[in-house]
């Protein structure tokens, strides 16, 4: 006798597309086209000869045969475009800006990740009364918005004689008052205490338990926090502008090349080439960590 | 008797105090606490002090007069109230309308409709690419690319809408706000979609059995389930009324800006940017910060209380 397979409908039942569904699809399609069009236009134009490009021949000429495409804009930007700092009157080219960005983003991301990892581990694994105080304090600071402390923060750096240095910003970033503390706290809390007890029975110290048993189990979350922070600091240009103006970063370079273009750099293809060079590292990071980042954003949101 | 039992139970949940553990705990938590003491408590305390000070040759002296007088002079100008209006409009357009769009798009992606994975990827891109890069591309495309398309395809001669020679501050403000909305809701979509994924499938199936359509499912099941998440975004956005710069500094050089384009967040940033440490501008920025915090903090707490009443 044939077995009858019971039909189970999937939880997202397929329906005929309604008018609303079609309308939302069209809106999303318009958004996608609207997002990609300037990006594709910028990439194509960045390869155009600077003399070949004019205001009335944008992408339309991209499909004409005989149009001259060149890497010269990228080579020219890399070698010639410079930023002059107002504080030290030193010139920095794109390689220098990328180096400043790398140091700032790596160091800040490391500090911004390390501190909540340590504090979240301590407060999650050691159920002291003080741990609860720390946790409650973080919740309060996230609930209570404080506006306009930037002037005071910069003044504090001046008073401590550490203004206009990148390592000083690492000190600022070494704090645990962020959503990532809560995420990591939940992560560390979910690991059974039996792991710790078993390790201690075998003679492991607290440091060893933390470094070799608990943290490796949360490495995925920690790496995601680090990557998200890295991207955020790489893209930031206002903090470098205000906190260490003598060491301009790539994001500030994009701003300065476009807003204060020198005569030789005042061509749209060259400016776009410089812009894309400086955005390339973050695009590579995005391609590598794409799925992990999208999961972490949703994780952070739920936890929030 | 009952209280002592409760205390004993509570103590059981606490880690017993062992010397080695306490030394380890204190040694590791000391530095973060010192950092918080200096750069959270210290900075905010100093900010409060600076609000009541003025700068004389780079030295801060207690005198609330200059800050208060400047504030009174500011609020008696038309530009100040245009700035407040701009700030509220930016909040309405980016937070509120962005939230509405994000919720609708999230539902589309949650239901795994056509090309939902592609849209999920696309919506995430503005969260990753540098904002200044998107500004440059958007601005150059609107200034240069759009007129080219209009001329080539339709024979229409369009001006550069970002040029101060042509555009009024209203046009530029609209363009900049459109950009802000355009990049603002991508991250929200992912978070709302994840929140919707947490809704038990049994509830959705029960609704289907009762004959719900997509619309009634969205209104009666989905929205109430994610109300806490959506509400949190709106509440956090209240502070952004006074901090959102609307990407103005990315779009325009300060000298090309007109006062009627300012938002409050941009105004505060421009005071810090142009002032320099030790200047009276910093004291005025601290004064404005204290004022806005005293407005935003109770407003945020009230909104949280209302949200918790609605969601409970």
């Amino acid at each position: 006798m044939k077995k009858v397979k019971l039909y189970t409908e999937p939880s997202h039942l397929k329906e005929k597309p309604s008018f609303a569904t079609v309308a939302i699809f069209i809106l999303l399609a318009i958004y996608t086209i609207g997002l990609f069009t300037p990006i594709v236009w910028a990439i194509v134009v960045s390869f155009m000869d600077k003399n070949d490009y004019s205001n009335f021949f944008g992408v339309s000429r991209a499909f004409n045969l005989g149009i001259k495409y060149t890497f010269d804009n990228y080579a020219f930007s890399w070698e010639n475009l410079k930023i002059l700092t107002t504080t030290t009157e030193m010139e920095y080219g794109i390689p220098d800006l990328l180096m400043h960005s790398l140091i700032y983003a790596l160091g800040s991301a490391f500090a911004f990740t390390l501190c909540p990892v340590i504090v979240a581990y301590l407060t999650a694994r050691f159920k002291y009364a003080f741990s609860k105080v720390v946790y409650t304090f973080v919740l309060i600071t996230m609930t209570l918005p404080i506006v306009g402390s930037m002037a005071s923060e910069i003044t504090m750096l001046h008073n401590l004689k550490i203004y206009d240095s990148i390592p000083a910003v690492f000190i600022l970033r070494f704090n645990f008052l962020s959503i990532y503390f809560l995420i990591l706290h939940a992560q560390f809390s979910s690991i059974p205490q039996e792991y710790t007890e078993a390790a201690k029975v075998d003679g492991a110290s607290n440091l060893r338990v933390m470094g070799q048993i608990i943290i490796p189990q949360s490495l995925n979350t920690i790496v995601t926090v680090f990557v998200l922070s890295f991207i955020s600091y790489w893209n930031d240009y206002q903090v470098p502008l205000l906190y260490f103006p003598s060491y301009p970063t790539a994001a500030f370079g994009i701003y300065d090349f476009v807003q204060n273009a020198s005569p030789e750099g005042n061509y749209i293809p060259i400016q776009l080439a410089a812009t894309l060079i400086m955005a390339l590292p973050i695009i590579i990071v995005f391609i590598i960590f794409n799925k992990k980042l999208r999961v972490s954003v949703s994780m952070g949101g739920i936890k929030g | 008797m009952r209280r002592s039992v409760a205390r004993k139970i509570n103590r059981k949940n606490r880690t017993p105090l062992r010397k080695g553990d306490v030394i380890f705990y204190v040694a590791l938590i000391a530095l973060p606490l010192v950092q918080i003491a200096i750069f959270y408590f210290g900075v905010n305390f100093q900010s409060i002090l600076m609000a009541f000070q003025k700068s004389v040759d780079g030295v801060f002296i207690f005198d609330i007069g200059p800050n208060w007088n400047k504030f009174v002079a500011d609020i008696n100008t038309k530009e100040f109230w245009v700035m407040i209006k701009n700030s509220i409009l930016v909040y309405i357009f980016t937070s509120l309308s962005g939230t509405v769009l994000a919720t609708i798009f999230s539902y589309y992606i949650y239901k795994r409709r056509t090309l939902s994975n592609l849209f999920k990827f696309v919506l995430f891109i503005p969260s990753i690419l540098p904002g200044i890069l998107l500004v440059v591309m958007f601005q150059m495309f609107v200034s240069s690319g759009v007129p080219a398309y209009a001329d080539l395809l339709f024979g229409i001669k369009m001006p550069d809408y970002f040029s101060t020679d042509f555009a009024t501050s209203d046009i530029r403000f609209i363009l900049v706000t459109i950009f802000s909305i355009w990049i603002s809701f991508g991250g929200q979509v992912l978070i709302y979609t994840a929140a919707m994924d947490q809704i038990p499938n049994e509830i959705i199936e029960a609704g289907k059995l009762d004959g719900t359509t997509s619309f009634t499912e969205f209104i009666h099941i989905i929205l109430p389930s994610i109300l806490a998440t959506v509400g949190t975004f709106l509440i956090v956005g209240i502070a952004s009324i006074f901090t959102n710069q609307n990407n103005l500094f990315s779009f325009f050089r300060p000298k090309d800006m007109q006062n009627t384009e300012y938002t409050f967040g941009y105004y505060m940033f421009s005071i810090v940017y142009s002032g320099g440490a030790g200047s009276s501008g910093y004291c005025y920025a601290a004064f404005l910060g204290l004022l806005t915090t005293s407005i935003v903090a109770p407003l945020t707490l009230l909104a949280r209380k209302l949200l918790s009443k609605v969601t409970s």
Side-chain angles (χ1 to χ4, degrees):
Chain A
M1 203 169 165
K2 257 190 185 174
K3 268 192 179 173
V4 177
K5 193 176 175 184
L6 288 173
Y7 173 67
T8 50
E9 284 200 293
S11 52
H12 298 116
L13 301 173
K14 289 196 174 165
E15 301 170 5
K16 266 188 177 172
S18 63
F19 173 75
T21 306
V22 172
I24 295 170
F25 174 81
I26 290 170
L27 277 174
L28 280 167
I30 291 170
Y31 178 86
T32 303
I33 293 167
L35 183 67
F36 276 116
T37 302
I39 294 174
V40 170
W41 175 85
I43 293 171
V44 170
V45 169
S46 72
F47 286 101
M48 282 186 170
D49 185 273
K50 70 176 195 276
N51 297 312
D52 208 21
Y53 175 84
S54 73
N55 275 345
F56 295 102
F57 295 96
V59 180
S60 54
R61 288 196 66 180
F63 302 101
N64 287 352
L65 292 174
I67 192 83
K68 191 178 168 192
Y69 290 105
T70 175
F71 281 97
D72 287 352
N73 299 328
Y74 287 85
F76 180 87
S77 304
W78 184 264
E79 286 161 14
N80 296 300
L81 289 189
K82 306 264 184 231
I83 284 180
L84 180 70
T85 60
T86 50
T87 47
T88 55
E89 295 197 353
M90 281 188 65
E91 273 191 342
Y92 292 104
I94 290 181
D96 302 309
L97 303 183
L98 288 172
M99 183 53 65
H100 293 161
S101 278
L102 190 65
I103 295 169
Y104 169 59
L106 271 179
S108 295
F110 181 73
F112 192 67
T113 306
L114 181 67
C115 188
V117 164
I118 292 172
V119 180
Y121 174 81
L122 292 173
T123 52
R125 306 299 290 182
F126 294 87
K127 301 285 184 200
Y128 300 145
F130 190 70
S131 297
K132 197 165 181 186
V133 169
V134 170
Y135 189 86
T136 309
F137 175 69
V138 175
L139 285 179
I140 292 171
T141 59
M142 289 183 66
T143 310
L144 211 65
I146 292 180
V147 180
S149 59
M150 191 184 277
S152 174
E153 203 168 55
I154 296 173
T155 305
M156 180 69 80
L157 292 179
H158 274 278
N159 293 342
L160 295 172
K161 307 271 189 276
I162 54 174
Y163 174 73
D164 203 14
S165 79
I166 298 179
V169 180
F170 300 162
I171 300 171
L172 286 178
R173 300 286 177 242
F174 189 76
N175 77 80
F176 54 92
L177 301 176
S178 69
I179 184 89
Y180 298 126
F181 168 83
L182 300 175
I183 294 169
L184 288 163
H185 188 278
Q187 175 75 28
F188 289 132
S189 295
S190 68
I191 299 171
Q193 286 288 354
E194 283 77 17
Y195 282 101
T196 308
E197 287 158 17
K200 288 215 166 157
V201 163
D202 288 342
S205 64
N206 280 310
L207 198 62
R208 207 164 173 193
V209 169
M210 181 174 98
Q212 290 188 341
I213 295 169
I214 305 300
I215 284 182
Q217 294 188 52
S218 310
L219 211 51
N220 217 25
T221 308
I222 294 170
V223 166
T224 306
V225 169
F226 179 84
V227 171
L228 274 176
S229 308
F230 177 87
I231 290 171
S232 170
Y233 293 126
W234 183 278
N235 294 341
D236 177 23
Y237 75 93
Q238 289 192 351
V239 166
L241 175 65
L242 292 175
Y243 287 65
F244 49 94
S246 300
Y247 306 98
T249 57
F252 178 71
I254 295 173
Y255 171 81
D256 197 72
F257 284 152
V258 174
Q259 298 288 0
N260 304 310
S262 58
E264 66 270 12
N266 197 14
Y267 294 91
I268 287 179
I270 291 177
Q271 289 173 353
L272 286 172
T275 302
L276 289 168
I277 288 175
M278 289 190 277
L280 193 59
I282 218 66
I283 293 169
I284 293 169
V285 168
F286 174 55
I287 291 168
I288 295 170
F289 293 99
N290 168 32
K291 276 191 183 153
K292 197 188 278 282
L293 291 174
R294 279 192 279 147
V295 166
S296 73
V297 166
S298 22
M299 174 181 67
I302 294 166
K303 294 293 181 185
Chain B
M1 189 74 166
R2 279 184 190 167
R3 202 182 282 178
S4 63
V5 171
R7 275 196 197 137
K8 277 185 186 169
I9 292 169
N10 197 25
R11 278 201 200 109
K12 278 184 187 172
N13 293 334
R14 293 229 187 114
T15 307
L17 288 169
R18 293 193 199 99
K19 188 178 169 186
D21 291 348
V22 170
I23 291 170
F24 174 76
Y25 187 95
V26 169
L28 255 60
I29 209 169
L31 208 54
L33 290 181
V34 167
Q35 201 277 355
I36 294 295
I38 298 172
F39 291 103
Y40 182 79
F41 289 108
V43 163
N44 287 315
F45 181 67
Q46 181 178 257
S47 188
I48 293 171
L49 291 180
M50 282 169 66
F52 299 97
Q53 293 174 333
K54 69 175 181 186
S55 172
V56 176
D57 295 331
V59 178
F60 293 132
I61 298 168
F62 277 97
D63 183 0
I64 192 168
N67 291 335
W68 178 254
N69 293 338
K70 181 156 176 41
F71 178 67
V72 169
D74 271 351
I75 61 173
N76 283 319
T77 61
K78 182 188 158 195
E79 284 80 11
F80 182 86
W81 296 105
V82 170
M83 186 171 71
I84 297 295
K85 179 199 83 176
N86 289 345
S87 303
I88 294 171
L89 283 176
V90 167
Y91 171 70
I92 290 171
F93 288 131
T94 57
S95 289
L96 295 183
S97 65
T99 297
V100 169
L101 285 171
T103 315
I104 294 169
F105 291 160
S106 303
Y107 184 61
Y108 182 93
I109 291 169
Y110 162 71
K111 298 299 281 184
R112 311 294 192 267
R113 299 284 190 227
T114 312
L115 296 180
S116 57
N117 279 335
L118 169 67
F119 292 139
K120 206 170 168 180
F121 171 80
V122 166
L123 285 162
F124 192 55
I125 289 175
S127 306
I128 295 300
L129 292 180
I132 186 68
L133 172 71
L134 293 170
V135 165
V136 166
M137 289 179 181
F138 178 83
Q139 191 170 19
M140 285 189 176
F141 182 67
V142 170
S143 297
S144 179
V146 168
Y149 277 120
D151 185 36
L152 216 63
L153 297 174
F154 307 109
I156 300 170
K157 301 286 182 200
M158 285 176 71
D160 174 1
Y161 282 111
F162 278 108
S163 165
T164 48
D165 294 333
F166 165 77
T168 63
S169 61
D170 284 343
I171 291 174
R172 289 175 7 142
F173 182 77
I174 289 169
L175 282 172
V176 170
T177 306
I178 287 172
F179 173 84
S180 296
I181 297 170
W182 184 55
I183 63 164
S184 69
F185 58 82
Q188 287 182 59
V189 168
L190 294 175
I191 291 169
Y192 295 163
T193 310
M196 290 176 191
D197 282 334
Q198 300 299 310
I199 300 170
N201 288 337
E202 291 77 20
I203 297 176
I204 304 297
E205 285 172 8
K208 288 292 175 195
L209 287 170
D210 288 341
T212 57
T213 61
S214 290
F215 180 75
T216 51
E217 181 185 275
F218 178 70
I219 297 294
H220 295 292
I221 300 176
I222 304 297
L223 272 186
S225 300
I226 65 167
L227 192 59
T229 306
V230 173
T232 302
F233 267 97
L234 290 175
I235 288 168
V236 167
I238 292 174
S240 74
I241 294 174
F242 295 105
T243 59
N244 193 338
Q245 298 178 28
N246 201 26
N247 296 292
L248 290 168
F249 193 79
S250 303
F251 273 97
F252 311 114
R253 286 178 292 190
K255 61 177 183 166
D256 293 334
M257 286 283 299
Q258 301 169 34
N259 286 356
T260 47
E261 289 170 299
Y262 281 26
T263 60
F264 195 85
Y266 177 81
Y267 179 54
M268 289 202 34
F269 175 79
S270 66
I271 293 172
V272 176
Y273 174 67
S274 58
S279 68
S280 287
Y282 271 36
C283 295
Y284 187 54
F287 177 83
L288 288 178
L290 184 64
L291 210 62
T292 47
T293 301
S294 61
I295 297 169
V296 160
L299 217 58
T300 304
L301 291 172
L302 181 67
R304 277 193 186 275
K305 202 164 186 179
L306 285 171
L307 178 68
S308 64
K309 275 191 178 169
V310 168
T311 52
S312 64

